[in-house]
Amino acid sequence: MVRLSANFSLQEFTKSQTATRKGLDNTPGEQHLANAKELFANVVQKVRDHFGPTVINSGYRCKKLNTAIGGSKKSQHCFGEAADIEVPTLSNRDLAEWIKNNLDFDQLILEFYNGKDPRSGWVHVSYKSKEDNRKQCLTINKQGTFSGLI
């Protein structure tokens, strides 16, 4: 089993019901795997170490899978640089705030959080490299409107 970090496997990062249903090979290439290992070393594993169990809702997406789910053509998921995560014991807003204040990242998006249900939405986080990370923080609502994070 290929491990991305102490607590996460490649299988968790590439699992997709859509890929399975459509018979798509969602195996990342060598560079995408290297990118994923950086993402996990610098962000996802650190979230796990601090909060405990962390769920990956969406990870790597090959281009065909990304198209099948209607993802952005520029999605960092396609490069192994992004994951959508949640921590079951924490609100997604609190998770986004903690990442914003404690970790290096490229893009942090609090997606579809409604402000009423702490479990609503999820946190999208990406990582490129220390010199290329933009530290961009956004919120997106159900209407597809982006705004500054928190």
Side-chain angles (χ1 to χ4, degrees):
M1 177 187 319
V2 176
R3 304 230 39 100
L4 297 176
S5 68
N7 295 99
F8 295 97
S9 69
L10 178 61
Q11 181 182 9
E12 289 174 277
F13 189 55
T14 60
K15 182 178 179 181
S16 165
Q17 293 177 351
T18 302
T20 300
R21 190 173 57 253
K22 293 186 172 280
L24 301 174
D25 179 4
N26 197 38
T27 305
E30 195 172 308
Q31 184 58 54
H32 299 160
L33 181 58
N35 294 344
K37 287 181 179 181
E38 287 294 311
L39 169 67
F40 279 78
N42 290 286
V43 182
V44 183
Q45 184 63 47
K46 289 181 179 185
V47 168
R48 169 68 167 80
D49 291 345
H50 189 78
F51 294 110
T54 302
V55 177
I56 302 169
N57 294 333
S58 182
Y60 176 74
R61 299 180 201 147
C62 67
K63 292 207 183 278
K64 286 182 181 180
L65 173 58
N66 194 58
T67 299
I69 66 162
S72 166
K73 291 181 180 181
K74 298 177 184 178
S75 176
Q76 288 180 278
H77 287 276
C78 296
F79 302 99
E81 296 173 341
D84 296 342
I85 62 174
E86 294 184 77
V87 172
T89 58
L90 190 67
S91 81
N92 287 317
R93 181 185 177 105
D94 288 347
L95 174 58
E97 284 185 14
W98 187 85
I99 292 170
K100 177 182 175 183
N101 294 328
N102 293 283
L103 300 178
D104 191 26
F105 57 89
D106 180 52
Q107 191 176 58
L108 179 65
I109 307 173
L110 180 59
E111 296 196 44
F112 307 109
Y113 181 78
N114 65 20
K116 297 173 187 167
D117 176 3
R119 302 299 314 134
S120 62
W122 59 87
V123 175
H124 167 97
V125 64
S126 66
Y127 185 90
K128 289 177 114 13
S129 66
K130 293 225 182 274
E131 50 279 343
D132 293 328
N133 284 331
R134 299 171 286 174
K135 296 286 272 192
Q136 182 181 47
C137 297
L138 301 166
T139 299
I140 185 170
N141 62 25
K142 286 185 179 183
Q143 291 73 38
T145 304
F146 281 98
S147 63
L149 179 68
I150 306 164

